[in-house]
Amino acid sequence: MKDVTKMSDDFDRWYTDVVRKAELADWSGIRGMMVVRPYGWAMWEAIMRAFDDMIKETGHENWAFPLLIPREYLMKEAEHVEGFAPEVAWVTRAGGDMEELEEPLAVRPTSETIIGPLIKRYIQSHRDLPKLTNQWNSVVRWEMRSRLFLRSREFWWQEGHTFHASAQEAIEEASMILGNYRSIAEDWLAVPVLTGRKSPAETFPGAVHTLTVEGLMKDGLALQMGTSHYFGQNFARAYDISFSNKENERELCYSTSWGISTRLVGALVMAHGDDSGLIVPPKVAPIQVIVVPIYRDDESRAKVERFVNSWAPELKAAGVRHRVDWRDERPGDKYAHWELKGVPIRLNVGGRDADAGQVEMVDRLSRARVSVPISGIGKRLSHELDSFQTKLFDRAQQFQRDSTFELRTLEEVIAHFRERGGLVWADWCGDGEEEARIKAETGGVTIRTIDESAKPSGKCFVCGNPAKYRVALAKAY
RNA sequence: CGGGCGGUAGCUUAGCUCGGUAAAGCGCCUGGUUUGGGACCAGGAGACCGCGAGUUCGAAUCUCGCCCGCCCGACCA
């Protein structure tokens, strides 16, 4: 019953099996709406804590803005409205008699259009800037096709919205946040990412530019793991968010917004998992070490229990999140169970170990069994977890390298993606019509990022004219 | 949102063609034997057969509508 579909047989089914059987999330029965279960939510909590600490460090503050947005507000920034209109859900009735509202209210798909008109009252002077806001909430986007964590009609995220006195400062803000996102992906989730700028077709509606963090999943598809947008004065103009500068002139703010979501839990599943289930990076693992006691009767159980109790407090003291599995199951069941759940390190502890003053340590990556003395166990495990985190990242990075290619023509790109996935670097001229053509002719391959730090050396892979950009191409979720 | 497929116990499914009030495995509960890689024996609980109409003496089964899910496509900042 616990068996999951093999990844190689059907990746999508594997993904769904793992998410559900490892108890991360379920569908709710309400189309496209998911239930995030405690084990999945705990991973999101770890991400929340990490990112919240990062932004507090740089002066950001958490706010709470309304869930519902008056239509009038939503409509003000033309490009933004156009981009979001197809996925907005509306509240049109309320009250016991379900009376029609005078003005429909949009359920926020993102909050630029409610924060804009509300934040302006707190911004009068250049002394009020920068205004660095963030909120942790959920948003609703009326998706037509849903997948657990990756695309659901409601998802949980943070949305940062900042307002600055200069373009320069706002641009720097957006890129600093992108750096934080890279850190969340790489240092916390152990998923190596490409960072860069989005092409025009992929740029957030209303943004001057969008920066992105893109990861590669085990099926060879890319996943957008976070975006950070620079708006210039677009939203400030739409909502008249202005301030008096030092010369006592009225000036429009420059703003940004940025977000990461529960989609990252899906990313971690698809970047690390295997046929036995999840592999959770220690830094976000709800349980980092699982202890499986092995005994045959009350007497041997008591002995193992005494032994475990003698050193378990040391794990806590060392900051190791652990649990002892005293459920009345056979050890083999427990091994399989915790492997499915992706717990990084398991300790098998039986009578023999108690006698020898040691435990048998098994890591989820190698599954090699090593006997380790209980003396200094806390420190040892803490070290093993760090090493596990590193190995997981290295493994993912190796996969990314092995899945990265350099191609020169559209024909090569088409042929490549007919055969396999992965990331393809190519030089591109930047023509907007070509971008649509790439997508159409390759069966959905898109420009995931533009690497602004690299200079193109050759010709555009589509038209052969001199190239302006180095781009990473991939099929994406 | 279009095309295709599906929904029967917690899970996976049989039964549906040919209408007669539901079956199995796994899981769950109880007791016992077990326990260093997914145990075994015995007993037990558990199903408004996705929902609603219709046809019929009688519907899991036939018809229609709706809801939910899966696959393909469109869409997805």
Side-chain angles (χ1 to χ4, degrees):
Chain A
M1 180 250 179
K2 287 282 175 66
D3 285 343
V4 300
T5 306
K6 277 195 173 174
M7 195 187 270
S8 53
D9 286 351
D10 185 337
F11 190 88
D12 294 348
R13 223 173 269 275
W14 169 85
Y15 173 78
T16 305
D17 278 0
V18 170
V19 167
R20 302 193 56 205
K21 291 180 177 172
E23 303 179 330
L24 300 184
D26 270 313
W27 285 123
S28 62
I30 302 149
R31 189 184 174 118
M33 300 273 179
M34 64 175 185
V35 177
V36 181
R37 300 181 63 182
Y39 196 61
W41 190 261
M43 294 177 199
W44 176 236
E45 280 178 327
I47 295 167
M48 283 198 271
R49 266 194 296 276
F51 186 71
D52 205 61
D53 285 350
M54 287 178 192
I55 59 174
K56 295 279 175 60
E57 202 65 38
T58 43
H60 298 74
E61 297 173 301
N62 285 325
W63 293 58
F65 291 98
L67 166 69
L68 301 177
I69 306 176
R71 178 158 71 178
E72 179 200 343
Y73 287 13
L74 191 75
M75 303 309 258
K76 286 220 163 130
E77 212 291 332
E79 272 186 41
H80 185 78
V81 183
E82 196 190 327
F84 275 101
E87 9 187 352
V88 174
W90 293 93
V91 175
T92 59
R93 293 166 177 276
D97 305 326
M98 301 233 299
E99 263 187 76
E100 193 90 26
L101 300 182
E102 272 183 41
E103 184 175 36
L105 297 165
V107 181
R108 63 183 169 216
T110 176
S111 301
E112 281 76 5
T113 60
I114 184 79
I115 292 179
L118 292 178
I119 201 77
K120 58 191 282 190
R121 65 174 81 152
Y122 307 109
I123 300 172
Q124 304 290 334
S125 142
H126 66 88
R127 295 190 179 88
D128 297 324
L129 297 175
K131 188 67 79 187
L132 307 175
T133 80
N134 180 68
Q135 71 175 335
W136 293 95
N137 60 14
S138 70
V139 290
V140 168
R141 298 180 184 182
W142 218 246
E143 303 289 353
M144 287 304 145
R145 198 167 178 179
S146 3
R147 302 206 56 197
L148 289 166
F149 288 116
L150 306 177
R151 176 162 287 110
S152 49
R153 283 185 168 176
E154 179 184 22
F155 58 87
W156 291 265
W157 75 342
Q158 58 67 215
E159 47 176 325
H161 297 266
T162 68
F163 302 84
H164 306 262
S166 76
Q168 175 68 13
E169 191 183 293
I171 288 168
E172 280 167 14
E173 165 79 9
S175 66
M176 180 201 73
I177 293 295
L178 193 78
N180 289 342
Y181 286 168
R182 175 198 277 278
S183 172
I184 291 289
E186 298 194 334
D187 303 335
W188 290 75
L189 303 177
V191 178
V193 287
L194 300 181
T195 57
R197 189 161 52 83
K198 282 294 192 188
S199 60
E202 303 271 329
T203 297
F204 183 87
V208 172
H209 69 241
T210 289
L211 304 176
T212 183
V213 172
E214 302 271 329
L216 185 65
M217 304 296 105
K218 278 191 162 176
D219 59 351
L221 298 195
L223 181 72
Q224 180 175 298
M225 292 175 64
T227 48
S228 182
H229 317 289
Y230 167 61
F231 292 141
Q233 293 173 311
N234 293 349
F235 281 89
R237 199 173 299 114
Y239 297 101
D240 188 27
I241 311 165
S242 58
F243 64 99
S244 299
N245 65 19
K246 288 176 184 164
E247 285 74 41
N248 195 25
E249 294 159 337
R250 210 62 193 166
E251 196 176 340
L252 289 172
C253 289
Y254 296 82
S255 62
T256 77
S257 85
W258 24 274
I260 49 174
S261 73
T262 40
R263 173 182 259 201
L264 293 182
V265 177
L268 145 190
V269 174
M270 294 195 295
H272 301 309
D274 64 17
D275 283 344
S276 300
L278 281 178
I279 298 180
V280 187
K283 287 179 86 166
V284 297
I287 301 170
Q288 297 171 312
V289 171
I290 186 70
V291 179
V292 177
I294 297 158
Y295 49 86
R296 53 186 73 243
D297 49 32
D298 285 352
E299 194 185 333
S300 58
R301 179 186 156 129
K303 176 179 175 178
V304 171
E305 194 166 0
R306 273 196 305 277
F307 178 59
V308 169
N309 288 341
S310 75
W311 49 260
E314 209 188 310
L315 301 196
K316 189 165 186 189
V320 174
R321 293 190 289 275
H322 71 287
R323 190 185 293 178
V324 186
D325 186 357
W326 286 112
R327 290 176 306 147
D328 188 19
E329 306 278 348
R330 298 162 68 83
D333 289 293
K334 296 182 184 178
Y335 298 168
H337 176 78
W338 296 110
E339 280 171 9
L340 173 59
K341 290 235 181 186
V343 174
I345 292 175
R346 186 178 76 234
L347 301 179
N348 302 337
V349 187
R352 296 203 294 270
D353 298 301
D355 291 337
Q358 62 182 34
V359 294
E360 187 178 75
M361 182 175 74
V362 188
D363 76 86
R364 179 65 178 77
L365 273 174
S366 75
R367 296 194 209 198
R369 295 169 179 230
V370 193
S371 285
V372 307
I374 45 113
S375 143
I377 189 74
K379 208 174 255 181
R380 172 71 187 266
L381 285 173
S382 168
H383 171 79
E384 292 291 338
L385 288 166
D386 287 347
S387 149
F388 189 100
Q389 181 84 26
T390 304
K391 279 186 210 153
L392 198 59
F393 178 78
D394 289 347
R395 192 176 79 147
Q397 193 167 51
Q398 188 59 50
F399 172 78
Q400 193 201 61
R401 279 197 208 101
D402 293 344
S403 308
T404 301
F405 307 87
E406 168 83 35
L407 299 175
R408 302 189 178 288
T409 67
L410 184 57
E411 289 65 38
E412 284 176 8
V413 170
I414 292 167
H416 173 90
F417 285 103
R418 230 188 339 251
E419 294 303 314
R420 57 169 302 168
L423 298 165
V424 167
W425 285 104
D427 294 340
W428 182 50
C429 68
D431 181 88
E433 285 176 23
E434 281 183 20
E435 195 176 356
R437 199 181 138 200
I438 294 164
K439 190 171 176 182
E441 295 189 19
T442 53
V445 173
T446 49
I447 294 170
R448 303 318 303 160
T449 68
I450 297 171
D451 182 352
E452 293 183 288
S453 65
K455 292 184 193 80
S457 51
K459 295 173 175 171
C460 171
F461 78 105
V462 184
C463 64
N465 291 329
K468 286 195 197 129
Y469 307 110
R470 288 280 287 160
V471 298
L473 300 159
K475 286 193 183 175
Y477 275 92

